[in-house]
Amino acid sequence: MFADRAKIIIRSGKGGDGHVSFRREKYIPDGGPDGGDGGRGGDVIFEVDNGENTLIDYRHRRKFAAGDGEPGGKRRCHGADGADLILKVPAGTVVKEAQSGQVIADLSGENRRQTILRGGRGGHGNMHFATPTMQAPKYAQPGQEAKELEVVLELKLIADVGLIGFPNVGKSTFLSRVTNANPKIANYHFTTLSPNLGVVDLEGGGFVIADIPGLIEGASEGAGLGHEFLRHVERTKVMIHIVDAASVEGRDPVEDIYKINDELRAYRADLADRPQVIAANKLDALPENPGDDEHPLMRLKKEFEPKGIPVFGISAVSGQGIRELLLHVQRLLRELPSEPVVFEPEYDPQLHYTSQKLPFTVERSAEEADTYIVEGPRIERMLGYTNLESEKGFQFFQNFLRENGILDQLEALGIQDGDTVRIYNLQFDYYKE
C-alpha cells in the first residue's frame, strides 16, 4: 500500500532547569550565587529528503521526541542543549494540526526545511536573581516545558498535470506511452493502488504528469480509496480527464465526466473549475468515421466544448491523437503561473505555547511557627508598583499569587487559616477564600 498519510505525535525538548548554588571557596565564607543556566530543549524540524517518496517511515512509529536540555550546574556552568529532532519527509509533504486540519507547513517548492516545534528555553540559575535586597536568592527558574503536538502528514504529489477518470479507462496505458513511468497495466476492474508519476518530454519544455487513482463514485465521501488519493489532485494545474469513449464496459462517457467532476467539487470546491482537457480514449475500438452526431467522440465534443473544455480523440494503445493533446496541455501550462501550488500556513504552534514558569520559592519558616516565606524576583518587583493599601490593588496581588500557583504551593505545605505569610516587607494572615 502506498503510504501517503500518517498521524504522529511530536514533542520538543524540555528546557533544563536553572541551578541554585553559592560560591564556596577558602577565605570566602559568604560567596554570592553562582548557579548556572539550564540548556535549551531540542527543536522538532521537518526536512525534505529527495531520496524519500512515501511516508512509510511514519506508519509504524507513533511518537517522536527531541532531546531535553540539561540542568545548569555550580560555578555558573551552563547545561548542555538538547539534540534537535530532524524528521525526513518527501517533497510535497503537508504538515497539519490533527484536530483542526489546519496547515502548519507545506514542504514543497523552496521550503525544504522548517522548524515545527521549538524546544523549551533553559531556566536562569540563581546568579541572575541577586538584588540589593536579596543577595542570596534560593530560587532558580525552571526550564520551559516541552511542547507536544499531534500532527497529520499528507503527501500531495507535485505534478503539473493530473490524469483523472474512472478505473480501467486507460490512464495507466496513457501514462506509460507519454512518459518514462512504468505502471502496472492489466484489465483491472478495480483502481490502481498507487499514484504514478512521469515526465513528458516535448520540444519547448516538458511537464510532470501523475496518474491519480481512486476516483470512483462516492470518493469525496471516502468511498473506495477516495480520500487517500483525491489529495494528490490538489497541486495539479491542469487535469486530463480520460474516458472510455468506446464504452467497453458499458459506461456512458458523458455521464462519467459529470460524475467525476461532482466528486472533485465535493472534495474541494475549486478543483472542478481548474483547466481540464477531455481525452476520449479507445478510438481504436470505434468506427473510423466520427461524423454521426451519436458517435461518442461527437457527443463529447457537442456536450463539453461549448463549456470551454476541449475534447481530443485518442488511442493510448496506438498513440493516435496523443501528440496533439500533449501540445495543447503544454500551451495551457504556459498560460498559467509557473510557481508550484503551495498551501499557505493556517496554524502556528508557537502561539499555543507562550507561558513560562516564574521562579519563586515557598517554604515554611524554621524560626517562626505557622509562618510561611515566599520569595521571587517578579514578586519583589510587583510589590514595588502595586498599591496594596487599596482593595483593588490587593485583589490584583491575590490573583497574581493564585494564577502563578503560589497559593497552591502554600496549601500543599499545609498552611491553615490564620497562619502568617511573609513576602519581603509584606506580612499578612492567610484565609482561604
Side-chain angles (χ1 to χ4, degrees), residues 67-189:
D68 293 336
E70 296 291 331
K74 299 178 181 179
R75 299 180 181 178
R76 299 175 176 257
C77 288
H78 194 293
D81 291 341
D84 292 338
L85 173 67
I86 300 176
L87 299 174
K88 304 282 190 177
V89 293
T93 299
V94 177
V95 184
K96 294 182 175 180
E97 196 274 325
Q99 295 299 317
S100 65
Q102 292 180 313
V103 174
I104 300 173
D106 184 353
L107 290 143
S108 61
E110 295 182 358
N111 187 23
R112 310 280 297 176
R113 178 184 171 100
Q114 185 163 336
T115 299
I116 302 299
L117 285 183
R118 296 199 177 278
R121 294 190 299 272
H124 288 315
N126 69 332
M127 64 179 180
H128 291 276
F129 301 116
T131 69
T133 57
M134 176 54 64
Q135 297 182 10
K138 293 175 287 186
Y139 43 75
Q141 191 176 39
Q144 197 175 34
E145 290 296 329
K147 305 172 182 69
E148 188 171 280
L149 188 66
E150 186 175 38
V151 298
V152 172
L153 308 181
E154 289 186 351
L155 176 58
K156 300 177 189 287
L157 295 182
I158 301 175
D160 302 302
V161 178
L163 296 182
I164 58 174
F166 277 96
N168 207 34
V169 295
K171 297 195 303 294
S172 297
T173 304
F174 177 86
L175 186 71
S176 66
R177 173 168 285 277
V178 302
T179 75
N180 55 358
N182 294 301
K184 293 181 180 179
I185 300 170
N187 188 28
Y188 296 130
H189 287 267

Side-chain angles (χ1 to χ4, degrees), residues 121 144-145 147 348-357:
R121 294 190 299 272
Q144 197 175 34
E145 290 296 329
K147 305 172 182 69
D348 184 357
Q350 309 310 324
L351 297 180
H352 297 264
Y353 296 99
T354 56
S355 63
Q356 173 81 349
K357 287 186 178 179

Side-chain angles (χ1 to χ4, degrees), residues 29-64:
D30 297 315
D34 69 350
D37 299 342
R40 178 189 63 82
D43 298 338
V44 179
I45 301 167
F46 282 83
E47 185 175 81
V48 171
D49 182 348
N50 290 330
E52 298 286 343
N53 54 22
T54 76
L55 296 170
I56 191 67
D57 291 345
Y58 303 99
R59 276 291 182 89
H60 306 295
R61 184 178 166 192
R62 177 88 168 123
K63 295 185 177 182
F64 298 82

Side-chain angles (χ1 to χ4, degrees), residues 328-340:
H328 178 79
V329 171
Q330 184 188 56
R331 287 192 295 272
L332 273 180
L333 289 171
R334 285 175 180 165
E335 296 169 3
L336 296 171
S338 58
E339 296 79 14

Side-chain angles (χ1 to χ4, degrees), residues 129-432:
F129 301 116
T131 69
T133 57
M134 176 54 64
Q135 297 182 10
K138 293 175 287 186
Y139 43 75
Q141 191 176 39
Q144 197 175 34
E145 290 296 329
K147 305 172 182 69
E148 188 171 280
L149 188 66
E150 186 175 38
V151 298
V152 172
L153 308 181
E154 289 186 351
L155 176 58
K156 300 177 189 287
L157 295 182
I158 301 175
D160 302 302
V161 178
L163 296 182
I164 58 174
F166 277 96
N168 207 34
V169 295
K171 297 195 303 294
S172 297
T173 304
F174 177 86
L175 186 71
S176 66
R177 173 168 285 277
V178 302
T179 75
N180 55 358
N182 294 301
K184 293 181 180 179
I185 300 170
N187 188 28
Y188 296 130
H189 287 267
F190 50 86
T191 182
T192 306
L193 295 182
S194 299
N196 293 295
L197 280 174
V199 178
V200 175
D201 289 320
L202 289 173
E203 59 274 16
F207 50 86
V208 178
I209 192 168
D211 171 13
I212 309 296
L215 295 186
I216 59 175
E217 286 182 78
S220 60
E221 300 172 359
L225 296 172
H227 279 167
E228 297 299 316
F229 295 116
L230 268 167
R231 67 177 63 96
H232 295 300
V233 187
E234 293 184 70
R235 288 198 199 273
T236 58
K237 300 174 184 176
V238 174
M239 284 178 275
I240 299 176
H241 200 144
I242 298 185
V243 291
D244 176 6
S247 302
V248 172
E249 297 187 349
R251 305 188 63 90
D252 184 290
V254 173
E255 287 184 12
D256 279 1
I257 291 171
Y258 281 121
K259 287 176 180 176
I260 292 294
N261 279 338
D262 286 344
E263 294 300 329
L264 293 174
R265 193 173 288 108
Y267 178 74
R268 181 172 161 176
D270 66 320
L271 284 183
D273 298 327
R274 292 187 187 175
Q276 280 192 30
V277 178
I278 294 173
N281 192 25
K282 304 186 182 180
L283 282 191
D284 51 294
L286 286 169
E288 290 186 8
N289 183 12
D292 183 0
D293 283 349
E294 291 305 308
H295 190 282
L297 181 58
M298 299 308 295
R299 281 187 61 220
L300 287 164
K301 284 179 174 288
K302 186 177 178 180
E303 182 72 23
F304 294 103
E305 289 192 339
K307 296 179 171 66
I309 304 175
V311 178
F312 290 83
I314 69 164
S315 169
V317 173
S318 69
Q320 176 186 352
I322 287 180
R323 180 173 172 77
E324 292 80 2
L325 169 66
L326 295 178
L327 289 173
H328 178 79
V329 171
Q330 184 188 56
R331 287 192 295 272
L332 273 180
L333 289 171
R334 285 175 180 165
E335 296 169 3
L336 296 171
S338 58
E339 296 79 14
V341 177
V342 176
F343 298 94
E344 294 297 321
E346 303 167 316
Y347 182 96
D348 184 357
Q350 309 310 324
L351 297 180
H352 297 264
Y353 296 99
T354 56
S355 63
Q356 173 81 349
K357 287 186 178 179
L358 298 174
F360 60 83
T361 58
V362 180
E363 60 185 14
R364 196 165 190 163
S365 173
E367 292 82 20
E368 301 173 73
D370 302 327
T371 298
Y372 295 81
I373 300 170
V374 178
E375 294 178 351
R378 188 169 169 190
I379 300 171
E380 185 180 17
R381 288 197 299 272
M382 176 167 280
L383 288 174
Y385 61 73
T386 304
N387 180 13
L388 299 178
E389 298 299 324
S390 71
E391 182 179 348
K392 188 174 182 181
F394 193 77
Q395 186 177 11
F396 174 78
F397 186 66
Q398 280 186 307
N399 289 336
F400 170 82
L401 298 179
R402 182 184 304 106
E403 289 168 2
N404 287 286
I406 295 170
L407 295 183
D408 290 339
Q409 288 219 20
L410 286 168
E411 291 179 7
L413 289 173
I415 195 170
Q416 301 295 319
D417 284 356
D419 288 351
T420 299
V421 178
R422 184 179 299 144
I423 306 177
Y424 296 100
N425 60 350
L426 172 68
Q427 182 170 302
F428 60 90
D429 293 337
Y430 173 85
Y431 289 98
K432 188 171 184 178

